[in-house]
Each structure stands twice: as structure tokens, then as C-alpha cells.
Amino acid sequence: MSASPLLSAEVRHTCCNICSSHCGLDAYVERGKVVRVEAARPPFGSGSLCPKGYANRGYVYRDDRIKTPLRRTGKRGEGLFEPISWEEAYGEIAERLGAAKRAFGPDSVAFYTGYSKWYRPYLHRFAHAFGTLNYGTESSSCFQSNFMANEVNAGVMTRPDLARSELFIAWGSNPFHSGNYGGQNFDALKERGLKILLIDPRVTPFSSYADLQLRIKPGTDGALALYFAKRLIEEGRADLGFIERHVHGFPEFAAYAAGFGKDRASRITGLSPAELEQAEALLLKAERFCMAAGGCGNIHHINGFQSLRAILSLSALTGNFDREGGNIPLCHIDEERNKPNVPFDEFIDEKRPRGTKPKIGSERFPLWSDLVDEYQAMDLSRQILEGTPYRIEAVFALGMNVRMFPGNARLFEALEKVPFYADVDLFMTDSARYADIVLPACSSFEREELVEGPQGVRLIRPVIEPLGEARSDAVILCDLAEKLELDDPVMRGGYRKCVKHLIRTIGVTYEDLCSSAQIFRIPGREPYLPGSVLSAGFGTSTGKYELYSERIRAYPPSYAYEPLPVYTEPLETVDDPEKLPLTLVAGGRLPFAFHSRFHRVKWARELRRDAAADINPQDAKALGIGQGDAVVLESAHASIRLRANLTHMAPPGAVFLFQGYSEADVNSIVGIDHLDPYSGFPGFRSVRCAVRRCGS
Ligand SMILES: Nc1nc2c(c(=O)[nH]1)N[C@H]1C(S)=C(S)[C@@H](COP(=O)(O)OP(=O)(O)OC[C@H]3O[C@@H](n4cnc5c(=O)[nH]c(N)nc54)[C@H](O)[C@@H]3O)O[C@H]1N2
Ligand SMILES: Nc1nc2c(c(=O)[nH]1)N[C@H]1C(S)=C(S)[C@@H](COP(=O)(O)OP(=O)(O)OC[C@H]3O[C@@H](n4cnc5c(=O)[nH]c(N)nc54)[C@H](O)[C@@H]3O)O[C@H]1N2
Ligand code: SF4
Ligand SMILES: [Mo]
């Protein structure tokens, strides 16, 4: 019998970096290879990982890892490349970006990054030092609309104070699939007496915790929130003292909400009057309630920004804002008030350029542009192809993934036509295939990373050598800053100099951080005190919570922006809606998939072999579709072929499909202009569609 290979493996502490939760992970390393991963126990981690965390090994060793810098030799998209040296690659990128800047100005280069967050401050500073505000990210369809709604209403983000609440209203929330469910404590909270009202069209693991679930028609949450508002006001549950002191626009809001009676709410949301009454009973009984809202289920709709504003209003209406058991300012999990202290914002601001052209998308999405320090990437393909209001000559991207954009044939076309495009990725993706130069990035196991979390800071050291010639993104950016001779001695001084610059004021040295894989607490934070926002005043123009937004009122009438959180239809207008009778919800999370990243990891893929559309058995029966049948999924714009998965998790009338599959790309059938006019966010979760059986 041979000895277990793990006996000789060394355990090295690191983090999972698939999502931003940074769960502590132990890598078992043998002869330079990670042979196993486990959840790290305290103090290095919480003792749990999600399925994606456990799939890290398959991810890092995916067979399409890029090992050297590459220069394109075939046509864009064809996938033909030749290996080149780092020096050649840097030289060519610097020459092309430099030439675009000289001929057309720095704004002619669009910088972009996909989901990965850790290197963002370096890329953002790099864009600034280059001379442009044209820094864009995947957050053009993730989270920022949530931030915008909170900012417009209150000037501050909040979170539910679950521990001290009577009722938790979870609007489109399934922490069991989108996060690390090992970290949830809902069992204990329920035992303590917390009631849960879940609002989600889909049955999920969280459904079993709900005292009541409303399987609402996708994209109609705004109407439900306005109905709740009307009922709270009618039943004398509006906190008039709080409103008098802290709220702006209550009379206008109340008058608008009064239009959302039971019949209308029922018709819009698809919920029966009896369901609405049950929900109301829970709501009216709870003196203190808190809410989670603003996940993709709420903001991936063309009415998402305003719907979320309507939802958030409920806490201000009842005084459940900045008080125990309500929604309290987003701050550290360990109840500390100040923001994390690594001054990443200052790092980015130090090099902010002046006198630049308006960011990409500013004309179409001015509210986004004014509130978010990024361009709205949903307008990138249009600007490249139309050249207005100015030309884009080059795209420099880290982790560009065209598959994640709606109507993405246009972005592929734009990347085919843009004069220069470079991409940095771990893998040869469908998007990297279009690049002139592709650079190989390290995985989190192969690089050093300064991780800032709720409890403090931590320096994650590499646990294995880089695969092939892969390099860390931050190192690549510093190298390029040097090649381009940017006016930035810190970045030109290299990655380590940046880290030392970043931590210089927080009372921890680089050497301290190197000495241990543990988290270093940052001294001097104060505990959160309820009422702290109320006493300081809201960060809005009136200094109050704005149910009627003065900020929004200031935009020219041509934008038709409404200061009240009005409800509008989530579905697009089409000639013959009866031909597209179902609603496609493109993107409910699967526990073993992370956007496109795990579709090529064998272990994860075996849990769902084919791209499959979740369809309710009742709809499937009416359509003559059986489990596993090949089907065509069609929208007003295009169609894809894939398999049917019959499941009661999907409600009748809706079809759920995960994103990122090359062979069945759901975003290729979403309309490119199916966008929220305020945030620019795509209406991924309310797309008119039809499904029919096809051959094999
Ligand atoms: N239909 C539909 N579309 C959606 C969504 C949806 O729910 N439905 N969700 C939207 C949301 S919320 C999001 S966040 C986006 C996600 O969109 P993306 O961020 O574009 O998605 P990923 O598949 O994670 O792709 C990121 C790319 O970065 C690469 N990458 C990973 N790590 C690194 C790294 O360290 N360095 C570099 N250089 N590259 C790296 C990956 O290999 C991949 O190619 O998708 C959006 N699109
Ligand atoms: N496994 C996995 N986890 C992930 C990711 C991943 O790709 N895979 N991506 C990460 C990223 S980038 C993000 S942004 C987060 C997103 O995290 P979440 O927003 O939590 O993700 P979802 O599961 O897509 O949506 C939450 C719930 O909203 C419901 N929902 C859909 N439409 C509606 C609607 O119109 N109204 C209501 N009330 N509910 C609706 C869905 O059925 C789902 O159960 O997840 C992160 N975690
Ligand atoms: S929640 Fe899962 S994917 Fe995210 S960091 Fe933790 S283990 Fe990794
Ligand atoms: Mo996201």
C-alpha cells in the first residue's frame, strides 16, 4: 500500500479569491502543486468554503490556462496566437497605448476589468496616471445600481440589523447559493424568534427558512413595495415624528403610493390578494423590521433602480433606519463604524486627472456618471462602433468577458473593430481570442495580495510558483507604468512600493504583514452607535432622507427622470407579446458556477453537464417538453439551443438560465438596449421569451 500523498504535503494558508468574501483556505502543496484544498480554521478562516471554494484546484489548473504572453497571428476571434516575451508584449502595448494618447488624447483608451476586485485600485490609479477617467468594470451590471439607489435616497448604504429585529424582509436573496452558506446563522436567528418574509419567484434553500414566501412576478417588486407603503400609511404605521425630522417628500410619496391598491398590486405582481394580506399581517405586526434588498434579483431589471428606491423607502417611512433592529449604516461586521483604513480611495485620487472628456456613457446615463467613479460599460460597444461623442482607439482590459454583457454580439463586433485591444486573463477565453496581445495572469495561489476585510488587513503570500510565465496583475500594471513612463513614481517603483505606500498610515508595516498569515487588526476604530447618521445628517442635498429626490429633479426634462420612486413595466415592448409568453430570468446563481469561470472545470461541470433552462413542469407539459429535451429558447432578438431542466424551483411562467456558457450564451438573446435609464443596468431578469422543443 502506498503512503497517502497528503502525508508529505505542506499546508499553506491562503484565501479563496473566486468571489470577494475571501474565505480562508488551506492549500496542501506537494512538489510545487496544490493537491488538495480545505477550509481554513480560525484564526486563518471561518472553517467553511462553498462548492466553488472547494473547486479551486480544478480552476487553477484548468487546461486552458495561458502560460506565456501571446501575440495574435490570425483574425480577431479566431484564436491563433504566437508566444512572445514579456518585453515584446509590454513594448507593443506601451507603443499602441502611447500612440493613441498622442494622436487622440488619453480618453481614447478605455480601461476595463471583469469581476476580480483585488487589483482594481492599481488599474484605476493607472488609468488616472495615464490621463483618463475612462475606467470601467463589470460593476456596470453589478452592485452599483444598489449603491446609487441608497445614495440618492439616503447618501449611505445600509444593512439589516438581523440580531435585534423582529422581521427580516429578504427581497430576492439567496445567501445559500450566492455566498458561503457555512457562514450563515439563520438557524440561531429563527430560534431567537426572527420572522422571515422572503420575496423571490424561485424556490431556493432559503425558502425553507421563510415564514412566508411571495413568489412574485420578476421585476414587479417596486409595485409591491409601494403597496406595502400604502398599507403602512393607512394603518398608522408611518412614523410621523421621524418623517417630520428626517424625511423629505413624504406628502408626494404618500400620494403616489396611494395609487397602489390591492387589486392593482395583485395584478402587477401576480400575487393573490390572500398572499398580500398574509404578508401585510407580518409587516404590520413587526415594530422593528429590517430588509436585505439590492441583490441582482432587484437591480437586474430596467426598472431596478426606482424599484429599489421604493423598497428602501419602507425603512425610512417607519423609522426603521439607523436604529436597532432596522437597517443600519453599512459598517464592519464586528460593529465598528469607520470604513476600512487602507486608504485605497486616496491611492486612486492622488493621480486623478483634470480636464478630461466626459466618461463613456455619460450622455446616456448621466446619473450613473455623476454618482459612480467609473464609466458605464453598457455604452462601450456603441461608442467604439459609432465613434461618438469621441473615438475609442484602444481597449486595455483585465479579465474582459463579453459573455457577461447583454446583446453581446455588438461588443464582439466592437472588439473586432477597435484599432487595438489587449487583455490580461488566466484563461484563453472567447473574449481574449479577439485581443492583439494577451497576457497571462496569476491565480490567487500564485501571487501576493493585500487583503482588507472587516476585521483588518492581511497579506496573502503565494502558495505555489506561477504557472508558466504568469504574473500578478498588479505587477503587470506597475511594469506597464514604467514602460509608459507615467507620471507616477509609486507605481513605477513596483508593486511592493505600492503596498508600502498604501499601508503607510495604518500602523502596520510590510514586515509585520509578512511575518504571519493572520489578520492584523487596525487600531482606533469606534463602535457603531445607533442614530449616528440621523444626528450627523444624511448625505443628500436636503440633508434628509429623500423619498422625493432633489438630485434627480435637477436633470433636464429630456431624460424623463422621476424624483419619486415610480413603478414602470419591467418587460420590453414588442410587436406581438403573445409569441413570447414566458419571462426569462437570466442569471439565478448556481452553487457550483461563478459566471463563466467554472463551466470548464470538470468537477463543477459534472454537477450540471449541459447548459440547461429551468422550466416549471406545468409549462413544460403544456409545451410538450420533457426532462433533458433539446429546446430552443427565443427572445425578440435571437435564439439559443440548450436542454430543458424541469423543476418546481422555477415558478410557472418563468424560465431561469445561468449565464456565461459559450455554447448557449443567454446574454446573446437579451436586447442590447434593454437597460435601466437611471443606472444603465441590463434587464437580465425580465426578458420576454418562448421555449419550444427541437430535434436532438
Ligand atoms: N445574464 C446575466 N448576465 C450577468 C449577470 C447575471 O446575473 N445574468 N450578472 C452580472 C454580474 S452581477 C456580474 S458581477 C458580471 C460578471 O462578469 P465578469 O466579471 O465578466 O464574469 P467572470 O466570468 O467572472 O469573468 C471575469 C474574467 O476575469 C478573469 N479573471 C479571473 N480572475 C482574474 C485575475 O485575477 N486576473 C485577471 N486578469 N483576470 C481574471 C476570468 O477568467 C474571466 O475571464 O456578469 C454580469 N452578467
Ligand atoms: N454561486 C455563485 N455565487 C455568486 C455568483 C455566481 O456567479 N455564482 N456571483 C456573485 C456575484 S458577482 C453577485 S453580484 C452575487 C449576486 O447575488 P444574489 O443577488 O443573491 O444572486 P441571485 O441568486 O442571482 O439572486 C438572488 C435571488 O433573487 C431572485 N430573483 C430573481 N429575480 C427576482 C425578482 O424580480 N424579484 C425578486 N424579489 N427576486 C428575484 C432569484 O430567484 C434568486 O434566488 O452573487 C455572487 N455569488
Ligand atoms: S464564498 Fe465561496 S467562492 Fe466566495 S470566497 Fe468563499 S469559498 Fe470562495
Ligand atoms: Mo455581480
Side-chain angles (χ1 to χ4, degrees):
M1 214 167 76
S2 61
S4 155
L6 291 179
L7 287 179
S8 53
E10 188 189 330
V11 180
R12 296 182 186 163
H13 305 301
T14 179
C15 279
C16 172
N17 207 307
I18 300 299
C19 85
S20 315
S21 304
H22 278 122
C23 302
L25 178 152
D26 286 344
Y28 288 64
V29 180
E30 196 179 53
R31 277 181 246 118
K33 266 200 101 171
V34 177
V35 291
R36 180 188 175 102
V37 301
E38 288 288 355
R41 304 205 167 275
F44 301 106
S46 67
S48 67
L49 293 174
C50 81
K52 302 171 306 291
Y54 280 110
N56 255 294
R57 209 166 56 89
Y59 174 73
V60 167
Y61 294 115
R62 248 173 72 172
D63 57 10
D64 58 341
R65 274 293 297 266
I66 308 165
K67 304 278 177 52
T68 67
L70 299 169
R71 180 193 286 126
R72 185 168 54 79
T73 53
K75 287 196 201 123
R76 290 224 169 130
E78 209 176 17
L80 297 175
F81 291 91
E82 62 179 2
I84 54 173
S85 70
W86 277 100
E87 271 314 297
E88 281 175 282
Y90 283 155
E92 194 157 331
I93 293 171
E95 189 196 312
R96 298 298 299 267
L97 298 190
K101 182 173 166 174
R102 281 190 299 278
F104 299 93
D107 299 310
S108 68
V109 178
F111 294 90
Y112 179 82
T113 172
Y115 176 91
S116 267
K117 309 273 194 294
W118 78 276
Y119 51 68
R120 287 192 182 184
Y122 307 93
L123 180 65
H124 204 162
R125 182 177 167 116
F126 185 95
H128 283 180
F130 187 79
T132 183
L133 298 176
N134 274 338
Y135 161 84
T137 79
E138 119 298 354
S139 303
S140 289
S141 67
C142 177
F143 174 76
Q144 291 289 10
S145 175
N146 180 2
F147 162 77
M148 288 172 68
N150 279 278
E151 192 66 19
V152 163
N153 277 20
V156 63
M157 298 282 306
T158 64
R159 67 183 173 90
D161 186 17
L162 288 165
R164 289 171 286 206
S165 203
E166 293 163 49
L167 172 68
F168 173 44
I169 314 180
W171 298 83
S173 176
N174 173 22
F176 292 83
H177 285 175
S178 57
N180 180 349
Y181 51 75
Q184 308 299 328
N185 59 353
F186 284 106
D187 291 304
L189 289 165
K190 292 262 335 173
E191 228 160 83
R192 205 233 336 107
L194 181 75
K195 296 263 185 275
I196 297 179
L197 169 59
L198 174 62
I199 301 162
D200 193 322
R202 186 178 167 96
V203 174
T204 74
F206 199 42
S207 302
S208 60
Y209 286 80
D211 293 277
L212 176 68
Q213 174 170 2
L214 299 178
R215 298 187 77 181
I216 192 168
K217 220 189 256 178
T220 64
D221 300 70
L224 180 63
L226 289 162
Y227 170 72
F228 283 162
K230 171 182 150 68
R231 293 292 299 128
L232 286 164
I233 295 167
E234 280 171 352
E235 295 296 320
R237 285 291 315 286
D239 184 336
L240 297 178
F242 181 92
I243 290 169
E244 173 70 31
R245 281 192 303 281
H246 301 298
V247 174
H248 174 72
F250 175 67
E252 295 89 339
F253 177 83
Y256 181 69
F260 287 80
K262 193 168 292 164
D263 288 350
R264 185 171 176 207
S266 169
R267 216 172 39 248
I268 296 176
T269 60
L271 299 167
S272 69
E275 284 176 303
L276 291 174
E277 279 158 24
Q278 280 174 293
E280 239 173 86
L282 276 174
L283 183 62
L284 294 172
K285 212 159 101 192
E287 185 63 30
R288 296 194 176 222
F289 69 81
C290 63
M291 302 188 291
C296 295
N298 295 135
I299 57 181
H300 282 172
H301 295 287
I302 59 169
N303 62 12
F305 166 78
Q306 290 285 38
S307 293
L308 182 55
R309 281 191 67 215
I311 293 170
L312 298 173
S313 297
L314 299 176
S315 60
L317 204 59
T318 53
N320 276 301
F321 186 93
D322 194 16
R323 79 160 179 194
E324 287 182 356
N327 274 58
I328 58 173
L330 188 69
C331 56
H332 289 276
I333 295 161
D334 59 356
E335 295 292 285
E336 286 175 323
R337 178 161 41 142
N338 296 348
K339 288 190 105 185
N341 294 37
V342 176
F344 282 116
D345 288 349
E346 186 191 308
F347 185 70
I348 292 162
D349 270 343
E350 272 170 356
K351 287 285 142 191
R352 185 173 295 276
R354 309 257 166 250
T356 57
K357 292 181 182 153
K359 286 178 286 182
I360 293 162
S362 299
E363 229 165 273
R364 277 174 87 189
F365 308 108
L367 183 65
W368 161 284
S369 216
D370 291 341
L371 289 175
V372 183
D373 193 14
E374 298 178 10
Y375 66 79
Q376 189 15 300
M378 295 306 131
D379 206 36
L380 178 63
S381 58
R382 191 208 55 77
Q383 185 155 342
I384 292 175
L385 291 168
E386 293 177 12
T388 57
Y390 54 89
R391 290 168 64 105
I392 298 297
E393 284 291 304
V395 173
F396 179 78
L398 279 68
M400 163 65 80
N401 186 354
V402 177
R403 299 262 174 236
M404 296 300 123
F405 287 72
N408 47 23
R410 286 285 278 174
L411 187 53
F412 276 125
E413 187 191 339
L415 291 180
E416 200 179 323
K417 299 210 168 125
V418 72
F420 181 72
Y421 161 42
D423 191 25
V424 186
D425 206 303
L426 285 83
F427 311 107
M428 182 44 76
T429 63
D430 296 339
S431 311
R433 284 166 179 270
Y434 283 71
D436 299 300
I437 301 285
V438 183
L439 301 178
C442 280
S443 75
S444 61
F445 288 0
E446 301 149 54
R447 66 178 184 231
E448 182 180 297
E449 178 183 338
L450 181 68
V451 176
E452 183 197 41
Q455 279 88 26
V457 285
R458 175 178 184 188
L459 193 72
I460 299 297
R461 311 274 287 163
V463 296
I464 52 171
E465 290 293 316
L467 265 62
E469 295 175 25
R471 287 187 185 172
S472 139
D473 298 271
V475 169
I476 293 172
L477 288 164
C478 291
D479 290 348
L480 277 171
E482 176 62 21
K483 266 275 176 250
L484 275 155
E485 299 179 2
L486 297 187
D487 174 23
D488 185 351
V490 175
M491 281 197 82
R492 287 176 69 176
Y495 163 73
R496 198 148 294 168
K497 184 159 182 173
C498 292
V499 173
K500 288 184 176 169
H501 184 74
L502 273 164
I503 61 173
R504 72 193 185 286
T505 55
I506 64 170
V508 180
T509 66
Y510 184 74
E511 289 67 33
D512 291 337
L513 291 174
C514 286
S515 68
S516 167
Q518 285 194 36
I519 295 169
F520 283 78
R521 292 184 66 86
I522 301 174
R525 293 205 198 128
E526 296 167 47
Y528 160 70
L529 296 173
S532 52
V533 172
L534 300 181
S535 55
F538 292 86
T540 56
S541 59
T542 56
K544 292 192 168 187
Y545 192 104
E546 296 196 359
L547 295 177
Y548 180 97
S549 168
E550 293 299 334
R551 178 190 274 279
I552 292 184
R553 193 166 67 96
Y555 286 93
S558 55
Y559 286 105
Y561 281 177
E562 294 281 354
L564 285 169
V566 296
Y567 175 75
T568 50
E569 259 282 296
L571 294 166
E572 63 204 316
T573 312
V574 293
D575 292 340
D576 191 353
E578 274 166 29
K579 282 197 176 147
L580 301 167
L582 301 172
T583 299
L584 168 65
V585 182
R589 301 309 186 229
L590 295 175
F592 42 83
F594 195 86
H595 305 299
S596 64
R597 299 192 197 175
F598 287 89
H599 296 333
R600 293 191 60 164
V601 174
K602 200 166 156 249
W603 177 83
R605 192 62 194 242
E606 271 169 9
L607 298 168
R608 182 179 278 214
R609 285 210 185 138
D610 296 307
D614 291 343
I615 303 174
N616 185 277
Q618 185 185 311
D619 290 333
K621 194 168 171 205
L623 294 162
I625 293 168
Q627 173 63 21
D629 280 358
V631 293
V632 173
L633 175 63
E634 187 182 9
S635 73
H637 311 278
S639 65
I640 50 175
R641 283 165 179 257
L642 72 170
R643 300 269 161 197
N645 180 46
L646 275 47
T647 169
H648 287 281
M649 288 174 85
V655 176
F656 280 71
L657 173 55
F658 195 76
Q659 65 272 16
Y661 295 100
S662 301
E663 70 280 21
D665 176 0
V666 71
N667 284 347
S668 68
I669 69 170
V670 178
I672 191 167
D673 293 320
H674 191 49
L675 303 173
D676 183 326
Y678 297 87
S679 64
F681 267 46
F684 286 133
R685 309 216 173 189
S686 34
V687 177
R688 288 185 196 271
C689 75
V691 185
R692 63 187 153 78
R693 239 184 106 201
C694 65
S696 53

